[in-house]
Amino acid sequence: MDDEPGFDDFVAKQTDALLRYGYVLTGNPHDAADLVQEALVRLCSAWPRVRRKDSPDSYVRTTMARLHISVWRRHRREHLTGEPPDRVHREVFPLDEEQGLWEELAELPRRQRAVLVLRYYEQLSDAEIAKVLGISPGTVRSQAFRGLDKLRSSLVSSPTHRSMR
């Protein structure tokens, strides 16, 4: 893309990291790829402004979080189902031994998952999470509490945990 200097370099350097981030948000490699693609399309149109004023990485990650939230706001009744039929870009996503936690995370409601991802994966404060998701800091804390409680409960009841006792 000759008319947007630096955009191709940014995309080449950040694609794997953005796919991992998208996977953590969505719990699914196909949705992660769609999320990254849409966020990069939006970044491309804003590239001259973002390149001069802001961090492109922050811009695209915030865009991804907001796109993800807008999807679950539109489809609140949607439920995640089993594994996708095939795996792509396996080296970008978690290893097999790490899949248990990611599968448990994928079982959480979208808002709880988004809050936990932004807090523990992106290391954002409650105020920053509230701003990104368009919710109050109190909602951030309650969603984080509920999400962690569900993860703890599922870990206690998981077969691997019971066999370790």
Side-chain angles (χ1 to χ4, degrees), residues 3-32:
D3 56 329
E4 300 297 344
F7 182 76
D8 288 340
D9 292 336
F10 174 81
V11 171
K13 290 178 186 172
Q14 295 298 320
T15 299
D16 286 348
L18 293 174
L19 280 169
R20 284 190 299 271
Y21 178 61
Y23 180 81
V24 171
L25 281 175
T26 65
N28 170 331
H30 304 289
D31 291 342

Side-chain angles (χ1 to χ4, degrees), residues 5-6 21 25 36 54 74 78 89 101 103 114 116 127 131 134 150-151 153 158 163 165:
Y21 178 61
L25 281 175
V36 169
D54 303 321
R74 282 191 302 255
E78 178 183 329
H89 302 289
L101 178 61
E103 289 170 358
L116 292 178
K131 184 178 176 186
K150 285 183 181 181
L151 285 176
S153 296
S158 73
S163 65
R165 287 187 192 176

Side-chain angles (χ1 to χ4, degrees), residues 116-125 128-129:
L116 292 178
V117 166
L118 291 172
R119 179 181 276 179
Y120 296 106
Y121 186 77
E122 288 297 311
Q123 303 290 314
L124 297 181
S125 68
E128 292 169 321
I129 296 169

Side-chain angles (χ1 to χ4, degrees), residues 71-140:
V71 166
W72 63 253
R73 282 184 176 154
R74 282 191 302 255
H75 303 290
R76 287 189 178 183
R77 297 180 194 264
E78 178 183 329
H79 297 287
L80 295 176
T81 58
E83 292 289 319
D86 59 338
R87 298 274 184 177
V88 293
H89 302 289
R90 185 71 179 143
E91 67 279 358
V92 175
F93 301 110
L95 303 172
D96 286 338
E97 57 268 10
E98 297 171 347
Q99 281 298 319
L101 178 61
W102 298 113
E103 289 170 358
E104 295 296 332
L105 191 62
E107 294 296 320
L108 294 176
R110 289 179 180 261
R111 184 182 288 185
Q112 290 174 10
R113 183 174 51 229
V115 166
L116 292 178
V117 166
L118 291 172
R119 179 181 276 179
Y120 296 106
Y121 186 77
E122 288 297 311
Q123 303 290 314
L124 297 181
S125 68
D126 289 350
E128 292 169 321
I129 296 169
K131 184 178 176 186
V132 167
L133 299 182
I135 57 179
S136 73
T139 302
V140 169

